[in-house]
Amino acid sequence: QVQLVESGGGLVQAGGSLRLSCAASGRTFSSYSMGWFRQAPGKEREFVASIAWSGGSTSYADSVKGRFTISRDNAKTRLYLQMNRMKPEDTAVYYCAAGSVGPLANTYLYWGQGTQVTVSS
């Protein structure tokens, strides 16, 4: 069992940056691949980025490629999402998830409660 708690969300102006964190409980964090998803009002949850358990392989949605960076610190059992050059369309609730890589949400085993990110124009 893995429990996930996101933090770092907030309000930022377009062009600005935010860094999301996901704190994971449990000593098995390092064995799980991880991902970030987001859900905007009235829209389906969409894939943002994922990272393999070792941190050696990452994947990004085209909409965030070159602007967002996913990383992890297995010693601290933390997952991160650095978001730069943010746009109003990045506004959403952001979720971290454990157990898979890639864009299919139903392949992930554990989910956090989400953190709100709002980008003003």
Side-chain angles (χ1 to χ4, degrees):
Q1 186 82 8
V2 176
Q3 293 184 326
L4 305 171
V5 179
E6 302 94 337
S7 62
L11 175 64
V12 64
Q13 288 189 331
S17 298
L18 277 178
R19 189 192 195 203
L20 303 183
S21 294
C22 175
S25 66
R27 285 180 275 181
T28 58
F29 172 81
S30 62
S31 66
Y32 285 99
S33 295
M34 303 287 295
W36 286 99
F37 287 76
R38 66 187 182 186
Q39 187 166 18
K43 295 188 176 181
E44 293 187 353
R45 191 169 297 190
E46 66 171 358
F47 171 75
V48 175
S50 65
I51 186 167
W53 65 271
S54 65
S57 177
T58 57
S59 179
Y60 295 92
D62 288 342
S63 59
V64 306
K65 201 171 293 184
R67 299 188 299 121
F68 290 11
T69 303
I70 189 171
S71 62
R72 66 189 296 161
D73 185 334
N74 286 343
K76 296 182 178 179
T77 65
R78 291 280 179 129
L79 176 73
Y80 303 101
L81 185 68
Q82 177 67 45
M83 304 185 291
N84 298 327
R85 292 184 282 127
M86 297 185 72
K87 305 176 181 180
E89 51 264 44
D90 295 322
T91 295
V93 177
Y94 283 70
Y95 299 90
C96 68
S100 187
V101 291
L104 299 180
N106 61 6
T107 64
Y108 289 77
L109 301 174
Y110 305 105
W111 291 84
Q113 294 300 306
T115 185
Q116 176 69 48
V117 171
T118 303
V119 184
S120 63
S121 57

